[in-house]
Amino acid sequence: MSVDFRKLKSFVKVVDAGSVSRAAGLLRTAQPALSQQIAALESHFKHKLLLRSNHGIVPTEAGLILYRHAQLLLKQIEQAQIDIDQSTKALAGRVSIGLATYSASSTLSLPILKEMSTLHPQIIVHINDSFGHVLSELIMTGKMDMAMIYGSGPIKGVKLQPLFREELYLVSRAEQAGKKQGDEPLPLSALADVKLLLPSQGHFLRRLIDESLARARVTPNVVSEIESVSALGAAVTEGLGSTILPASVAASASSFEGVEVRRLIRPAIEATVSLCVSDHLPLSEPALATRSVLLTVVEKLMRGHPQGIRAV
């Protein structure tokens, strides 16, 4: 005979009720069947567990010990059932994610959506990688749940978790570049006469590029300011100029097909990409699940050792 939870539950109910007949009524089972279960327990443990008295049925010393253990076991199995039921309940809600434009983070939108569709199909994911928004401000005011942004320094109202560093490359039309990807790096001083297509001066990358060129004592020859990845790619492939971007963006955007990418040095241009969340507004359960997926996607990205991206 094996001790199962049904017999233990019956035993506890008999002790609590002080009567086999009352316990049988509470359990909605026949009294003879309940008595057989108690007898089976006594046979298994080789001890008398219950005694009849003028006040009904009371446990023996052995019965009291089994009663305490049975209560613990039944509580544990009840909690296990609750945890299992909770694990199968799908999280639902809406979560918004901002992705820095002209960043490797923008290439993660499809992997994030795929993972969320598989793991949390009832969470509606809103992805914003458009220009014209300061993502940290949207996080600070609660208009967005989280974002991957450039920067690692303190920003009031938000917390930043550095994820990776990405290096910027010169991206040009193939016949204009004169060099193939993988050739020797190009010093920034060589960009003095290169027509550049860059984001506007309010963009983080533009400020970073301008500062790096200034350190190399180069005045950039900016012929257009473009705040659209597809438009920028089309302009580069048409030969209107070159741009400076993470290699991952040029490799993933279809509008950059056929371009050549060359590393820039002296100085190299690098930027940190961080996960940004509010420092005063807690994340909802769907948002916490989404953050976990986002970090997993970033981890998979890093394991692939993509060009120009390295750990912080």
Side-chain angles (χ1 to χ4, degrees):
M1 194 282 299
S2 62
V3 177
D4 58 43
F5 289 105
R6 183 169 62 90
K7 292 185 179 69
L8 290 176
K9 184 177 181 180
S10 297
F11 173 73
V12 168
K13 188 63 70 175
V14 170
V15 173
D16 288 340
S19 163
V20 173
S21 59
R22 282 199 295 270
L26 293 170
L27 293 170
R28 296 183 180 182
T29 189
Q31 185 173 336
L34 188 56
S35 296
Q36 287 179 0
Q37 291 181 39
I38 301 301
L41 287 172
E42 290 181 329
S43 174
H44 176 80
F45 288 107
K46 297 181 175 58
H47 280 278
K48 189 75 174 175
L49 300 175
L50 299 174
L51 292 175
R52 294 185 181 274
S53 71
N54 296 333
H55 302 290
I57 289 180
V58 294
T60 64
E61 188 66 29
L64 282 173
I65 293 172
L66 179 60
Y67 178 78
R68 289 195 294 269
H69 283 287
Q71 281 187 313
L72 290 174
L73 289 169
L74 292 171
K75 285 180 180 179
Q76 287 177 334
I77 199 66
E78 181 182 2
Q79 187 59 52
Q81 185 65 59
I82 291 172
D83 292 344
I84 290 170
D85 291 342
Q86 289 294 329
S87 71
T88 58
K89 289 182 179 178
L91 287 171
R94 182 179 182 277
V95 179
S96 52
I97 307 172
L99 300 175
T101 49
Y102 289 156
S103 161
S105 64
S106 62
T107 68
L108 300 179
S109 56
L110 184 56
I112 290 171
L113 290 172
K114 285 183 176 180
E115 285 289 317
M116 290 298 296
S117 176
T118 300
L119 298 176
H120 306 290
Q122 294 189 38
I123 294 179
I124 300 172
V125 181
H126 171 74
I127 290 183
N128 182 345
D129 64 352
S130 64
F131 289 88
H133 297 290
V134 178
L135 295 178
S136 60
E137 291 183 2
L138 296 179
I139 301 294
M140 190 188 317
T141 57
K143 295 179 181 178
M144 186 174 289
D145 294 303
M146 67 195 72
M148 293 176 67
I149 69 171
Y150 281 118
S152 58
I155 302 177
K156 185 178 179 181
V158 299
K159 293 185 294 186
L160 296 183
Q161 176 184 348
L163 299 175
F164 55 84
R165 289 185 65 80
E166 59 183 4
E167 192 172 350
L168 306 189
Y169 288 68
L170 181 69
V171 182
S172 308
R173 193 168 75 172
E175 61 264 32
Q176 282 189 333
K179 295 278 186 180
K180 292 184 178 180
Q181 182 176 336
D183 283 346
E184 292 184 6
L186 188 69
L188 287 189
S189 58
L191 299 184
D193 298 322
V194 175
K195 293 180 179 180
L196 293 176
L197 311 168
L198 300 177
S200 65
Q201 293 181 341
H203 195 282
F204 177 89
L205 275 192
R206 175 61 182 277
R207 296 196 301 270
L208 182 63
I209 292 167
D210 286 346
E211 290 169 2
S212 299
L213 289 173
R215 287 199 299 274
R217 298 186 179 182
V218 172
T219 300
N221 180 19
V222 180
V223 295
S224 291
E225 294 181 340
I226 302 175
E227 295 191 343
S228 163
V229 173
S230 58
L232 180 61
V236 170
T237 55
E238 284 293 317
L240 298 181
S242 300
T243 191
I244 299 175
L245 285 176
S248 58
V249 177
S252 63
S254 58
S255 58
F256 282 95
E257 186 176 355
V259 299
E260 289 192 347
V261 179
R262 193 170 179 193
R263 187 170 177 240
L264 296 169
I265 59 170
R266 297 202 298 272
I269 309 177
E270 285 190 330
T272 299
V273 174
S274 298
L275 177 62
C276 176
V277 297
S278 172
D279 67 0
H280 59 283
L281 299 173
L283 291 174
S284 64
E285 287 296 321
L288 287 170
T290 303
R291 183 180 66 177
S292 178
V293 167
L294 186 152
L295 293 175
T296 299
V297 169
V298 170
E299 183 182 350
K300 289 180 180 178
L301 168 74
M302 299 301 293
R303 285 203 299 266
H305 302 290
Q307 183 183 15
I309 295 179
R310 62 181 179 86
V312 178

